[in-house]
Amino acid sequence: MKHIKTVQKSCIDTSVSTGCGECQASCQSACKTSCTVANQKCVNEKK
Amino acid sequence: MVHTFKFEDILLALDVESGAVHMLDELSFNAVNAVNSGMDPNSLPYPNEDIQDVLNEIEELKSGKMFDCPAPLPVNRGGQNVIKAMCLHVAHDCNLRCKYCFASTGDFHGERKMMSLEVGKRALDFLMEHSGKRKHLEVDFFGGEPLMNFEVVKDLVEYGRESEKKYDKQINFTITTNCVGLNDEIIGFINREMHNVVISLDGRKSVHDSMRPTVNNKGSFDIIVPKAQKLIAERGDKEYYARGTFTSKNLDFAKDVEALVDLGFRQVSVEPVILPENSPYAILAEHIPSIRSQYDLLAKMLLSHRKEGKWFNFFHFMIDLENGPCLKKRVTGCGAGNEYVAVTPDGDIYPCHQFVGHESFNMGSVIDNNLREDIRNKFKECNIETKRACSNCWAKYHCSGGCAANAYIFNGDIRKPYELTCELEKKRTECAIGICIKEREENDKV
């Protein structure tokens, strides 16, 4: 493409098998007064 | 929905629903903005042929499900209710008198008291019994100042390790401490047992000492820093954060981040104070432009430091575009009041540490194994699919609707996000994505 360069492909996993809940609770890391989720990792390795 | 923004010298577009990110040239940036605002892109001052090229590229991306994707179907939030994380208030007392403390200098608007070992054990039992099939659990020792009750912390970790075997679970213990009570024994224990340590330290000595005095109204910086430095020096690769708070008195907080980095802390989080508008330290709407500029400065500093080999991390600029959370996590957020609860020294349960002291949110007690499902369901149903303000927000999958406690404290409703923090979160998200893409581009050049 000449004008638009994709630097990150679609990455929000919407498949029904997601949501295992094994990831960290968002407020247990550092913030304690806000909520940020996207800075967390999924604990399952993506295939 | 597509959100466009400029980060340093690059123009970016985030496809909200898919998470795809595109780098744009000036023409395509203006064309996408025109389409977003309902304008005819052909009215832009570019040759029609070029505009047609951009529109064709957009169509190609749409067919590849990377541009203007529709919202996915609502996430299934049914299934078994589990609790996987607990904030354990082992001490409702503190040896500092921080001027901005949301816990009213440690007592949470109640009596100053310590959690007994028996209550703590009961809380861990409660977590085990309510965690269903979840393998990974989290327990944060919190206060007040948890080191004021260190013997109980130590005994509870030992009890937790036994419970792990009994229930086939893994507990990640963390501690949030002001470091005043650290000594060699405690440092050794923390570095052995704690998955993460949150060190409360505000940055520059003058800033820290003015906001975080001791009970005798003396500065605490000189007491804390050598101990905290020793802790991280002996910690190896294990996780920690130097976690500061900025107020209206240090809106130039990028300097505080720099001060923390200069002190040797590589994992840093400095965050806006949460106080009502009538506080002299409160962050107000009029401060937003200045805070946005600080985040820009901070992003620039982070990139240049890393380029020079002086790596550090700023908590709110972290993003994992490739292997980030799944949709369900992004929709449901922190899990307060549902998957995450706080337990007071008396064993009372609250949706999170910030709700402690708000009696209408008392959810029951770990002592008699009672949990109010009506309150729990309110929190379970509080997510970006049910918060009106979030449905059209481009940042919804990054903040997950923000903090329920802030929403309640400022707007009286856990479903009405606190707008000021929304604005700051949006800016931080732009910086986070920008930094990630910039570093990728730099690496590709090498």
Side-chain angles (χ1 to χ4, degrees):
Chain A
M1 289 192 188
K2 218 163 88 184
H3 301 280
I4 305 177
K5 178 183 171 189
T6 298
V7 284
Q8 172 61 54
K9 290 185 177 167
S10 303
C11 55
I12 298 179
D13 190 350
T14 59
S15 57
V16 286
S17 59
T18 63
C20 69
E22 293 292 345
C23 52
Q24 191 177 29
S26 328
C27 215
Q28 292 285 81
S29 42
C31 48
K32 287 287 185 192
T33 55
S34 63
C35 181
T36 304
V37 166
N39 61 6
Q40 300 201 327
K41 274 186 192 300
C42 173
V43 293
N44 292 317
E45 273 189 33
K46 298 265 162 66
K47 285 173 189 165
Chain B
M1 192 187 337
V2 174
H3 172 66
T4 57
F5 61 101
K6 187 173 184 202
F7 177 76
E8 296 207 322
D9 57 345
I10 54 174
L11 303 170
L12 294 165
L14 167 71
D15 180 42
V16 174
E17 301 295 342
S18 73
V21 182
H22 312 283
M23 204 186 285
L24 311 176
D25 63 7
E26 189 191 292
L27 192 161
S28 56
F29 185 77
N30 289 331
V32 172
N33 284 341
V35 173
N36 274 350
S37 58
M39 256 176 71
D40 178 2
N42 288 303
S43 64
L44 293 170
Y46 299 106
N48 280 354
E49 204 180 289
D50 290 349
I51 289 172
Q52 197 50 52
D53 277 348
V54 170
L55 296 177
N56 290 344
E57 288 181 20
I58 289 175
E59 282 310 310
E60 199 180 324
L61 290 170
K62 278 184 180 174
S63 62
K65 295 183 178 166
M66 289 193 285
F67 202 93
D68 209 13
C69 291
L73 292 171
V75 166
N76 176 14
R77 293 185 303 278
Q80 191 189 13
N81 278 343
V82 297
I83 294 174
K84 66 175 188 180
M86 184 175 269
C87 186
L88 215 47
H89 291 223
V90 289
H92 270 192
D93 197 358
C94 190
N95 39 21
L96 294 183
R97 292 292 180 266
C98 304
K99 293 174 184 167
Y100 47 57
C101 184
F102 73 87
S104 172
T105 70
D107 62 15
F108 286 83
H109 305 279
E111 208 183 317
R112 291 191 181 272
K113 60 166 74 169
M114 300 291 151
M115 180 179 279
S116 69
L117 180 58
E118 283 316 304
V119 171
K121 283 182 174 178
R122 189 57 217 122
L124 292 183
D125 290 345
F126 182 90
L127 175 62
M128 294 292 159
E129 287 156 12
H130 286 79
S131 59
K133 291 179 182 165
R134 293 286 193 280
K135 172 94 175 162
H136 298 96
L137 307 178
E138 293 153 53
V139 174
D140 186 25
F141 293 107
F142 197 66
E145 171 49 40
L147 294 187
M148 290 180 80
N149 200 9
F150 177 64
E151 286 306 313
V152 166
V153 170
K154 218 164 75 174
D155 291 344
L156 284 177
V157 169
E158 193 185 331
Y159 185 73
R161 295 295 177 227
E162 287 164 20
S163 303
E164 282 179 324
K165 289 178 207 150
K166 188 173 157 192
Y167 291 90
D168 190 27
K169 305 281 183 183
Q170 185 190 319
I171 306 176
N172 284 333
F173 287 106
T174 67
I175 191 162
T176 301
T177 176
N178 63 29
C179 296
V180 171
L182 282 181
N183 58 31
D184 288 353
E185 184 210 340
I186 297 175
I187 287 174
F189 174 82
I190 285 176
N191 285 342
R192 209 168 44 247
E193 298 290 353
M194 298 294 158
H195 175 76
N196 187 16
V197 187
V198 180
I199 297 163
S200 302
L201 187 59
D202 279 354
R204 287 166 290 181
K205 178 176 159 64
S206 57
V207 170
H208 179 98
D209 280 346
S210 70
M211 294 308 291
R212 301 181 66 83
T214 62
V215 178
N216 300 326
N217 205 24
K218 300 262 167 38
S220 60
F221 184 89
D222 291 336
I223 303 169
I224 290 164
V225 169
K227 296 180 182 186
Q229 285 172 323
K230 188 163 198 284
L231 184 139
I232 63 156
E234 293 176 8
R235 196 159 171 76
D237 292 336
K238 285 179 104 172
E239 211 174 308
Y240 73 86
Y241 279 96
R243 198 277 190 211
T245 298
F246 71 85
T247 73
S248 61
K249 305 293 180 195
N250 62 316
L251 290 170
D252 57 348
F253 62 93
K255 287 182 181 162
D256 293 292
V257 174
E258 195 168 20
L260 291 170
V261 173
D262 289 344
L263 287 168
F265 298 97
R266 292 286 171 264
Q267 301 280 357
V268 178
S269 182
V270 174
E271 309 190 20
V273 75
I274 301 295
L275 283 172
E277 282 183 3
N278 59 5
S279 160
Y281 309 115
I283 300 296
L284 307 173
E286 68 203 52
H287 299 141
I288 292 176
S290 154
I291 297 171
R292 288 171 64 91
S293 308
Q294 287 292 299
Y295 283 133
D296 279 331
L297 257 176
L298 200 47
K300 199 183 270 294
M301 185 173 90
L302 184 139
L303 283 167
S304 66
H305 269 61
R306 287 183 179 180
K307 225 173 169 178
E308 292 161 15
K310 293 186 276 179
W311 191 91
F312 80 93
N313 182 35
F314 183 68
F315 180 71
H316 276 126
F317 286 173
M318 279 163 68
I319 196 161
D320 191 338
L321 290 177
E322 203 63 55
N323 195 34
C326 63
L327 182 66
K328 188 171 180 182
K329 172 75 174 177
R330 292 174 190 265
V331 167
T332 51
C334 70
N338 181 28
E339 294 186 322
Y340 169 50
V341 293
V343 178
T344 69
D346 288 328
D348 290 337
I349 305 167
Y350 287 86
C352 82
H353 52 288
Q354 287 214 65
F355 282 103
V356 171
H358 295 273
E359 276 318 300
S360 56
F361 287 93
N362 186 325
M363 296 178 74
S365 167
V366 298
I367 307 296
D368 54 14
N369 206 11
N370 169 37
L371 185 67
R372 280 185 56 182
E373 292 294 331
D374 57 331
I375 296 181
R376 190 180 199 180
N377 286 334
K378 271 186 196 161
F379 278 85
K380 195 176 178 184
E381 290 306 314
C382 176
N383 56 66
I384 58 171
E385 286 172 355
T386 59
K387 290 180 184 178
R388 200 176 299 164
C390 299
S391 58
N392 290 319
C393 176
W394 66 264
K396 61 184 175 182
Y397 293 128
H398 295 266
C399 76
S400 301
C403 170
N406 290 348
Y408 174 72
I409 292 162
F410 288 93
N411 290 332
D413 184 343
I414 60 171
R415 289 195 191 187
K416 282 189 186 159
Y418 176 35
E419 303 81 355
L420 191 145
T421 52
C422 293
E423 289 311 306
L424 302 185
E425 178 65 26
K426 286 179 197 170
K427 180 62 187 174
R428 293 190 296 245
T429 302
E430 288 182 348
C431 289
I433 296 172
I435 288 167
C436 179
I437 300 303
K438 268 265 185 188
E439 289 191 325
R440 277 192 197 175
E441 292 292 300
E442 287 292 325
N443 290 339
D444 286 349
K445 277 186 206 163
V446 178

